[in-house]
Structure formats: structure tokens, C-alpha cells
Amino acid sequence: MLSADEKDKVVEVIGFWSDLSQLSEFAKKRHGYGNSDGGFGITYEHDLDDYDRDVEGSFIPKGHVEVYGYWGKPDGYEIHIKEHDYLLVLAEVLEKEGLKLAAQFVVEQLHEIN
């Protein structure tokens, strides 16, 4: 279960993506994304390359995503949350924005990872 602060950060990151319906497609492919205007995004473990792991020391636990804002640390934030929790928030935001089909697509993805 996410804390209120963690959920707010996920909602913030989602809100910085210009085409919200596209996020359901990314979720299905388990593909991260990043907004280069403000440095907000989601990273899946398999999105990391050798440089990220070996040089930067990046690590995302299995079954989690990294949520980052304001270009990540040290000035911004980077948190790891369960993919399931991310998808729950994503479906909620999509539903709230009237993107019912995209929200349903994300809910189906939730069933696949459980």
C-alpha cells in the first residue's frame, strides 16, 4: 500500500505525460517513459542498461518500478514502488480523466501480473 506522499508523486509523474492514453500501452509492454521537459518518469528494472547498473549503480527490485521527478536525486526524488501499486494509480488517473478504455487495459494488466 502506498503512502499518501508516494501516491501523490505517482500522480504527479503520470500528469507530466502529454498523452495519458499512451501510458496504458507502455504498461502493457512494461515499458518506462520519461518527460524531458521536467524530468518526470517511470523506469522498469529491465529498462536499465549496463551503464546504469555498472557505472551509475542503479538498481530496481524485481516487481517494482522507479518513480522519479525533477530529474531524480539529489534535487528531486526517486522512489521504488511495486508495479502493482503503480498500475492501480495509473488506472485510477485514467478513469478520472475519462479514458475508460485505457483504464480497463491497465486493469487487465494488473490481472496478468498477479
Side-chain angles (χ1 to χ4, degrees):
M1 183 111 201
L2 295 177
S3 70
D5 182 58
E6 289 170 326
K7 183 175 180 182
D8 288 346
K9 287 175 177 161
V10 174
V11 170
E12 179 176 50
V13 166
I14 291 168
F16 273 95
W17 195 252
S18 61
D19 182 0
L20 292 182
S21 64
Q22 191 176 36
L23 297 182
S24 67
E25 296 170 30
F26 290 160
K28 179 70 176 174
K29 295 176 183 175
R30 295 176 132 167
H31 179 63
Y33 56 92
N35 174 313
S36 61
D37 292 335
F40 295 88
I42 299 291
T43 305
Y44 282 79
E45 188 237 347
H46 61 267
D47 290 333
L48 299 176
D49 60 20
D50 290 339
Y51 182 85
D52 295 323
R53 288 185 189 91
D54 299 339
V55 177
E56 297 288 327
S58 298
F59 172 77
I60 300 171
K62 184 175 175 75
H64 289 69
V65 297
E66 182 174 85
V67 179
Y68 65 90
Y70 304 102
W71 302 107
K73 293 180 180 180
D75 299 324
Y77 56 84
E78 293 174 357
I79 59 172
H80 294 156
I81 64 169
K82 292 181 179 179
E83 179 184 9
H84 179 268
D85 292 337
Y86 164 64
L87 295 175
L88 283 173
V89 175
L90 178 58
E92 182 181 309
V93 170
L94 293 172
E95 182 77 25
K96 187 182 288 187
E97 293 295 322
L99 300 166
K100 295 182 187 321
L101 187 58
Q104 181 57 41
F105 201 60
V106 172
V107 169
E108 290 171 9
Q109 179 66 16
L110 273 166
H111 295 299
E112 288 181 27
I113 66 169
N114 285 334

